[in-house]
Amino acid sequence: MLLRQSPDIRPSEITPQSDYLNRRQILAGMASALLAAGLPAEAALAGPLAVARSSQLAGDEKPTSLKDITHYNNFYEYGLDKDQPAQSAPGLLKLRPWTVKVSGECARPGIIDIDELIKASALEERVCRHRCVEAWSMVIPWLGVPLAQVLARFEPSSKAKFVAFETLLDPRQMPEQRSSLIYPWPYSEGLRIDEAMHPLAFLALGLYGEPLPAQNGAPIRLVVPWKYGFKGIKSIVGIRFVEKQPPTLWNALAPNEYGFYSNVNPTVDHPRWSQAKERRIGEFLRRPTLMFNGYGDQVAGLYSGMDLARDF
Ligand SMILES: Nc1nc2c(c(=O)[nH]1)N[C@H]1C(S)=C(S)[C@@H](COP(=O)(O)O)O[C@H]1N2
Ligand SMILES: [Mo]
């Protein structure tokens, strides 16, 4: 993505709900075990997260290693190099308390407290493909909740045609917000309301069964597996229901390179590189990129009647 000197910026079947475990019971059990051990109950949230169900949304493709997922990152608030977020985000990003403000065109604006969300939800694991617009990809076992389930609580109105998302703005915690002045911080993203309500759109709270590492967008980030990775905005503090298509960071910087939709599409090349193939991190040979990142059977209907080469 970059934009240094030249503008070189740059899920098949959901498991049925029947096999939910009762997360509250699990947590209650963990909490009492911790209390018995003389530890505070909050310590339960630092350990592994209970997984209520698991969905394999990348066929038999092998998940990328935890090491690669957590050390090859794009998180420009911590620098433009892939290894910088792992080096500096964990020491700088303060994860608690953390709230997400939900506002705009809805009947019940309010806030989401991350710990309450984790406690109240039956967390789902989703193993799915992640395709960066830079033509590399991974398979990531996220843990979290469907975005629609969270948004519905705020009762979006008929005027809510889009959903806008915002990352934390705090240069003390995110140093590049002070140094890289070409970027219109805070990082922002958006979805059309029907995309946001699609069952594949996901809010991730964890990774490989543990709470999200800072460098992957802790404590809460978006996962939209049929779109390029930059739509997956990290460390979200604001969600707003809006009537008009909201501005987004990459689209504002280079609209001809980064469309609002940014659906993975091997036939629509980026002006300076092909999107036909991708390098799967940890593999040697490049593999062909799949339309909608392989999730077309589920999401293609969202775009019927649209010219995907023009509205890219
Ligand atoms: N706030 C914020 N969110 C962001 C980014 C960023 O720089 N800042 N980079 C995006 C890009 S380009 C990608 S590919 C993914 C990378 O997520 P990962 O590091 O967890 O693989 O995060 C996206 N979300
Ligand atoms: Mo990306």
Side-chain angles (χ1 to χ4, degrees), residues 134-178:
E134 299 162 339
W136 54 267
S137 65
M138 297 187 183
V139 172
I140 307 185
W142 301 110
L143 199 59
V145 288
L147 176 62
Q149 186 184 303
V150 173
L151 295 184
R153 286 177 18 199
F154 300 90
E155 299 179 19
S157 76
S158 60
K159 279 181 157 179
K161 303 275 197 272
F162 293 88
V163 188
F165 300 84
E166 231 172 62
T167 293
L168 177 70
L169 179 64
D170 181 352
R172 281 167 308 168
Q173 295 187 60
M174 298 185 157
E176 290 299 309
Q177 291 179 338
R178 194 168 6 236

Side-chain angles (χ1 to χ4, degrees), residues 1 84 102 121 129 154 170 192 203 222:
M1 318 274 285
Q84 284 178 308
V102 184
S121 311
R129 293 177 207 98
F154 300 90
D170 181 352
R192 215 170 55 192
L203 282 171
L222 187 64

Side-chain angles (χ1 to χ4, degrees), residues 49-73:
L49 295 167
V51 183
R53 59 176 172 156
S54 193
S55 309
Q56 300 297 321
L57 304 177
D60 56 5
E61 295 169 36
K62 209 171 127 261
T64 304
S65 74
L66 179 64
K67 172 89 186 173
D68 283 337
I69 294 173
T70 56
H71 290 78
Y72 189 88
N73 299 105

